[in-house]
Amino acid sequence: RILTHLGSLFEGISTLDLAEPSSGEAAKGTSALAMRAKDGEVIEFAKVFTIDVAVEKWLNELADCMRTTLEGILECALIDAANWETDSHREDWVTRYPAQLALVASQVMWTEETEASLDDYENGTDDAVRKYRDVCTSRLETLIGRAQEDLDKDLRTKITTLITIDVHNRDVVQGLVKARTEGPN
């Protein structure tokens, strides 16, 4: 009965995907395998979540389960993102992660890379920030090319959102070049 109200209790979550109970398991509680977003995106839990205690207790445990699951996925997304230029191209990487986590990981990487280019500039590499602007532009152009392909609606929305953020990020880096920003501070 509570599942019909999850959308009011948790931002972005519409329901849980439940396992079909096998004989004898009904007494142990209900098992949830994944959370389903309001837009239909499904994120499998890191471990099966069991609903078997008082509602106020399992809702708190559910929040912890969601947090742990999302932290684990974000950690994997960041590890994979560190290899964009070698193992996993960004336009392919974005397809493997839930939308919000892909956007967060992308912003974390942009922040780290921007700061690293400013550190390099401060340490004597005169064209470090300009080179990073060129990397941003190249990544943006690649994503635009990917958006022109035949994509499902959800992936197109994710890529289009990432393009919008990338345009802003590239413009910020261009502003750093134009202002001749001397370092990360």
Side-chain angles (χ1 to χ4, degrees):
R1 286 183 267 165
I2 299 299
L3 290 182
T4 60
H5 302 286
L6 277 183
S8 300
L9 299 171
F10 294 101
E11 179 96 22
I13 300 298
S14 66
T15 191
L16 302 177
D17 288 354
L18 304 177
E20 292 294 326
S22 60
S23 61
E25 284 189 1
K28 296 180 189 175
T30 303
S31 296
L33 305 175
M35 54 188 152
R36 187 172 295 272
K38 292 176 182 174
D39 66 1
E41 187 172 47
V42 177
I43 299 175
E44 291 183 18
F45 289 129
K47 61 181 184 174
V48 174
F49 177 75
T50 304
I51 303 168
D52 64 353
V53 292
V55 67
E56 62 276 3
K57 185 165 174 33
W58 77 256
L59 284 173
N60 285 326
E61 291 172 356
L62 176 61
D64 291 341
C65 180
M66 290 175 176
R67 190 176 305 107
T68 300
T69 297
L70 295 175
E71 286 172 356
I73 295 169
L74 181 58
E75 185 177 329
C76 289
L78 288 168
I79 290 168
D80 286 351
N83 299 313
W84 280 341
E85 307 304 325
T86 55
D87 297 339
S88 174
H89 296 288
R90 187 168 179 243
E91 64 276 9
D92 298 324
W93 167 89
V94 73
T95 65
R96 292 193 303 271
Y97 294 98
Q100 288 295 318
L101 296 175
L103 296 172
V104 168
S106 184
Q107 284 296 94
V108 168
M109 293 306 298
W110 175 79
T111 302
E112 289 178 355
E113 291 171 343
T114 301
E115 187 169 338
S117 72
L118 289 166
D119 282 336
D120 290 348
Y121 180 80
E122 189 174 52
N123 292 326
T125 307
D126 292 338
D127 61 348
V129 182
R130 281 194 310 272
K131 282 183 178 178
Y132 183 59
R133 179 207 50 214
D134 295 344
V135 167
C136 291
T137 300
S138 174
R139 287 179 181 165
L140 176 60
E141 289 170 353
T142 302
L143 274 181
I144 290 170
R146 185 70 193 266
Q148 294 171 341
E149 296 174 7
D150 184 30
L151 303 173
D152 68 55
K153 179 182 175 261
D154 293 336
L155 182 55
R156 180 172 307 286
T157 300
K158 186 183 343 180
I159 289 176
T160 302
T161 303
L162 195 53
I163 288 169
T164 303
I165 292 169
D166 281 1
V167 167
H168 171 75
N169 290 349
R170 183 211 47 208
D171 292 349
V172 168
V173 174
Q174 175 57 32
L176 295 172
V177 170
K178 186 175 181 181
R180 298 180 195 263
T181 305
E182 296 180 4
N185 296 326

